[in-house]
């Protein structure tokens, strides 16, 4: 069996430190419930002394979690912080106090203005004091990533002797390179007395975009707890993203001799929940939870994925709750992708019909960035309408605008396969086109209804026009037309209705 890596979630503490991501207690409870569904090992619920809201969140999440997760409250190495955290955690079944102090030259000299000896003294006092309230005390060596190896080892050894159960080695500023950070963890494993009896935790920031890599380097060298957040939320560039680090471990379980207890199909739900509560959306190309994480756009990739998913996909999307791989239909998609998607929509066409549709699809894809399911359905229906048509549209052109008189030049193919061209003017461009159609078809009917609706989203969406035409005998005929150009859809819709009327009369 590989080593169990504990997942320590800090979305509600470090994640909330993201500028603009503050949450109220009710929102934190909603996220905490999702963290329990994910089966995280530890929830860092807040920094109780920092505000009454944080205190309340830690208290309520303690009640919510019961036996299912350790609940942790953050403190500085200050007695009052520790007392308030202990109070907030008093209903927790598995409480943990997370206390610590800066250990890098920069933090000791410029922020805390203390000597190395004073730093160790304060660290040991904080851990011993926290121990008087709870058994489980985690110590953080802030800015460990920029600290002196030997001094860091000295601090860690001292806090273990004082009773720390977990030692957290943060790369607070996201400064390290993965191999250096890994070496730092290994140095502690090799040099600190008592380290085998405690959990080594890593807490990495993403300032150089390497938080996930740093955490994995830590695991590779002896860490058995990772601190992370949903969507990588956190101070500045954020923390290690839980979904990334957990899937990284899952994909390389043997090599890392590690596994987690995370219920990975809950990832997408967790990601969306955190985005909607904090208003911080993830970018489309974000690993694991981005909208494009399982979307294949190029024809070569689509062909491969359709033959066998793992040609271009290392994770089954269902494993992270993302449903199926997505084939994004664009002008680069091939026949295979179009056929596959049509089949998924329930259509089965012979090769000749598929070729015709593919041509229409390419025309549309040239005008639009992405072709959606609704566009495809519209295309298929359009082809059906054209196949039935007695009169079909060859070309239409309008000129209109202020102060022009709207005019239309229309060419239709009649049932004898001859092209007929007419010009008309009207009160608007659609009126001008419809008068031109009337001139060619010479049907006794009135336009009773006209409506336009966009088939898909975006400015380049297809516009679908529906018309109802009333024949002289009172019968109503409906026609539909879809195109990226609203004048073309209007023409097609009107022709569709009149074609029906004529073929019924015949
Ligand atoms: O980044 C950091 O060092 C922290 C500590 C408080 C654990 O967030
Ligand atoms: Zn942090």
């Amino acid at each position: 069996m590989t080593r169990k890596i504990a997942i320590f979630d800090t979305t509600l503490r470090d994640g909330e430190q993201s500028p603009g991501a503050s949450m109220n207690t009710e929102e934190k409870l909603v996220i905490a419930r999702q963290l329990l569904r994910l089966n995280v090992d530890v929830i860092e619920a807040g920094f109780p002394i920092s505000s009454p809201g944080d205190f309340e969140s830690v208290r309520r999440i303690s009640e919510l979690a019961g036996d299912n997760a350790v609940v942790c409250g953050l403190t500085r190495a200050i007695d009052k912080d520790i007392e308030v955290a202990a109070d907030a955690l008093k209903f927790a079944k598995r409480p943990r106090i997370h206390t610590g102090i800066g250990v890098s030259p920069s933090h000791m000299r410029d922020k805390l203005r203390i000597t190395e000896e004073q730093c160790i003294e304060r660290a040991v006092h904080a851990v011993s004091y926290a121990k008087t309230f709870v058994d489980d005390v985690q110590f953080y060596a802030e800015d460990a990533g920029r600290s002196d190896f030997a001094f860091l080892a000295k601090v860690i050894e001292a806090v273990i002797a004082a009773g720390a159960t977990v030692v957290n080695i943060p790369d607070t500023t996201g400064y390290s390179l993965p191999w250096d950070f890994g070496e730092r963890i290994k140095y502690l494993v090799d040099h600190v007395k008592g380290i085998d009896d405690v959990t080594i935790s890593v807490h990495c920031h993403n300032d150089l975009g390497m938080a996930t890599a740093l955490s994995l380097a830590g695991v590779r060298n002896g860490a058995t707890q990772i601190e992370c957040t949903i969507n990588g939320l956190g101070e500045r560039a954020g923390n290690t993203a839980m979904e990334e680090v957990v899937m990284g471990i899952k994909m390389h379980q043997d090599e890392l001799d590690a596994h987690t207890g995370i219920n990975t199909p809950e990832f997408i739900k967790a990601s969306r929940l955190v985005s909607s509560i904090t208003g911080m959306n993830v970018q489309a190309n974000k690993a694991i939870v981005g909208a494009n994480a399982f979307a294949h756009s190029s024809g070569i990739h689509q062909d491969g994925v359709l033959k066998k998913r793992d040609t271009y996909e290392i994770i089954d999307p269902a494993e992270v709750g993302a449903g199926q791989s997505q084939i994004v239909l664009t002008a680069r998609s091939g026949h295979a992708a179009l056929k596959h998607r049509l089949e998924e929509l329930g259509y089965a066409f012979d090769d000749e019909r598929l070729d015709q549709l593919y041509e229409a699809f390419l025309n549309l894809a040239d005008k639009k960035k992405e072709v959606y399911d609704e566009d495809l359905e519209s295309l298929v229906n359009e082809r059906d309408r054209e196949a039935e048509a007695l009169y079909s549209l060859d070309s239409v052109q309008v000129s209109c605008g202020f102060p022009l008189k709207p005019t239309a030049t229309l060419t239709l193919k009649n049932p004898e396969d001859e092209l007929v061209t007419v010009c008309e003017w009207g009160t608007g461009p659609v009126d001008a086109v419809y008068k031109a159609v009337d001139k060619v078809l010479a049907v006794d009917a009135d336009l009773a209804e006209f409506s336009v609706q966009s088939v898909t989203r975006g400015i380049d969406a297809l516009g679908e026009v529906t018309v109802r035409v009333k024949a002289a005998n009172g019968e109503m005929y409906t026609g539909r037309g879809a195109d990226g150009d609203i004048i073309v859809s209007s023409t097609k819709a009107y022709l569709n209705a009149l074609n029906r009327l004529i073929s019924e009369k015949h």
Side-chain angles (χ1 to χ4, degrees):
M1 188 62 174
T2 56
R3 291 174 303 155
K4 161 92 191 273
I5 307 299
I7 295 300
F8 176 115
D9 180 87
T10 183
T11 307
L12 304 177
R13 199 279 296 169
D14 211 322
E16 204 205 15
Q17 289 173 219
S18 263
S22 66
M23 301 168 236
N24 62 32
T25 303
E26 292 309 322
E27 290 168 336
K28 286 188 179 175
L29 280 161
V30 172
I31 293 179
R33 282 190 199 99
Q34 183 61 20
L35 293 175
L36 293 171
R37 278 181 220 115
L38 275 163
N39 199 29
V40 301
D41 300 276
V42 187
I43 300 177
E44 187 165 50
F47 181 8
I49 201 159
S50 69
S51 71
D54 258 41
F55 181 93
E56 184 62 4
S57 302
V58 175
R59 195 183 66 76
R60 299 220 9 223
I61 292 170
S62 297
E63 288 171 337
L64 174 80
D67 277 327
N68 297 316
V70 170
V71 178
C72 180
L74 185 80
T75 80
R76 293 164 292 182
I78 293 176
D79 288 1
K80 184 72 188 158
D81 281 29
I82 294 169
E83 287 156 21
V84 173
D87 193 21
L89 288 164
K90 70 174 176 242
F91 298 116
K93 287 249 170 67
R94 297 167 64 195
R96 179 182 294 177
I97 290 179
H98 188 191
T99 190
I101 193 165
V103 299
S104 66
S106 150
H107 277 224
M108 287 185 290
R109 185 188 58 232
D110 302 327
K111 185 181 86 168
L112 300 163
R113 307 210 166 107
I114 54 173
T115 61
E116 288 189 346
E117 289 66 36
Q118 286 169 322
C119 174
I120 294 180
E121 206 176 291
R122 282 178 62 174
V124 167
H125 174 77
V127 170
S128 312
Y129 192 51
K131 274 302 253 199
T132 65
F133 297 98
V134 294
D135 288 337
D136 193 5
V137 174
Q138 173 167 328
F139 174 80
Y140 64 86
E142 195 179 9
D143 204 16
R146 293 190 296 172
S147 66
D148 173 75
F149 274 45
F151 177 66
L152 178 64
K154 213 160 145 190
V155 177
I156 297 301
E157 196 165 295
V159 296
I160 292 174
T165 45
V166 183
V167 288
N168 175 14
I169 313 300
D171 186 21
T172 305
T173 57
Y175 167 77
S176 302
L177 292 169
W179 40 94
D180 294 336
F181 191 67
E183 217 177 279
R184 186 177 288 278
I185 302 297
K186 182 156 177 4
Y187 181 88
L188 296 176
V189 169
D190 292 343
H191 293 84
V192 171
K193 204 159 106 214
I195 199 134
D196 293 341
D197 303 326
V198 301
T199 299
I200 303 177
S201 186
V202 285
H203 174 114
C204 300
H205 278 267
N206 206 31
D207 298 65
L208 293 174
M210 287 192 275
T212 299
L214 293 168
S215 300
L216 292 177
V219 166
R220 194 161 186 236
N221 287 281
T224 51
Q225 176 176 286
I226 298 175
E227 307 194 6
C228 49
T229 59
I230 301 294
N231 295 342
L233 216 60
E235 189 81 40
R236 304 181 311 280
N239 288 72
T240 301
M242 187 197 298
E243 59 278 5
E244 292 176 13
V245 82
V246 167
M247 292 316 290
I249 290 174
K250 202 164 180 185
M251 301 308 294
H252 296 277
Q253 201 151 325
D254 293 337
E255 192 183 333
L256 290 167
D257 176 31
H259 68 277
T260 72
I262 295 296
N263 185 12
T264 62
E266 290 293 326
F267 273 146
I268 295 290
K269 237 196 287 166
S271 166
R272 296 205 178 130
L273 185 68
V274 169
S275 290
S276 81
I277 287 179
T278 61
M280 301 208 33
N281 293 330
V282 294
Q283 80 267 23
N285 60 330
K286 162 87 179 62
I288 317 292
V289 293
N292 291 349
F294 299 98
H296 305 274
S297 164
S298 96
I300 296 173
H301 288 217
Q302 291 179 343
D303 183 50
V305 167
L306 291 173
K307 285 177 178 144
K308 195 153 190 298
R309 190 187 54 76
D310 64 13
T311 51
Y312 286 100
E313 216 168 64
I314 58 164
I315 297 169
D316 180 345
E319 256 187 83
V320 297
Q324 291 184 336
S325 330
Q326 255 177 285
I327 298 294
V328 182
L329 293 176
T330 66
R332 294 180 302 282
S333 300
H335 266 83
L338 178 66
K339 182 165 180 242
H340 172 82
R341 194 70 203 118
L342 286 169
E343 279 169 3
E344 280 187 344
L345 292 174
Y347 298 107
F349 296 120
D350 59 28
D351 288 348
E352 191 191 343
R353 186 78 202 289
L354 195 69
D355 283 345
Q356 290 168 353
L357 277 172
Y358 186 65
E359 208 181 296
F361 160 78
L362 282 185
N363 275 333
L364 179 62
D366 264 345
K367 292 181 207 147
K368 294 186 87 220
K369 279 197 296 244
E370 275 178 38
V371 177
Y372 304 108
D373 290 351
E374 298 89 328
D375 295 321
L376 285 185
E377 271 162 357
S378 213
L379 265 190
V380 170
N381 294 337
E382 196 59 48
R383 298 294 308 182
D384 285 344
R385 289 192 283 264
E386 278 169 18
E388 292 162 4
L390 295 167
Y391 290 86
S392 61
L393 178 65
D394 183 73
S395 67
V396 61
Q397 244 182 324
V398 293
S399 68
C400 59
F402 183 79
L404 286 180
K405 197 175 216 165
T407 55
T409 308
L410 176 78
T411 302
L412 298 180
K413 195 182 267 178
N414 69 17
E416 289 76 42
D417 255 0
E418 296 155 349
L419 292 177
V420 189
T421 301
V422 286
C423 276
E424 271 298 333
W425 66 269
T427 50
V430 175
D431 185 49
V433 172
Y434 282 17
K435 282 194 170 129
V437 172
D438 287 343
K439 204 167 178 181
V440 181
L441 272 64
V443 184
D444 190 8
D446 291 323
L447 179 66
E449 275 174 45
F450 175 93
S451 65
V452 192
Q453 153 184 13
S454 119
V455 177
T456 49
R457 49 221 125 123
I459 191 76
D460 56 2
L462 281 188
E464 187 168 71
V465 173
T466 306
V467 297
R468 286 179 33 98
V469 164
K470 193 172 181 180
N473 63 1
E475 290 270 336
M476 295 293 261
Y477 295 87
T478 303
R480 284 202 180 80
D483 197 90
D485 182 324
I486 209 73
I487 298 296
V488 178
S489 10
S490 303
T491 315
K492 286 178 171 177
Y494 193 47
L495 273 174
N496 180 227
L498 294 183
N499 271 319
R500 285 184 164 173
L501 189 159
I502 297 168
S503 47
E504 217 161 274
K505 243 172 55 184
H506 285 179

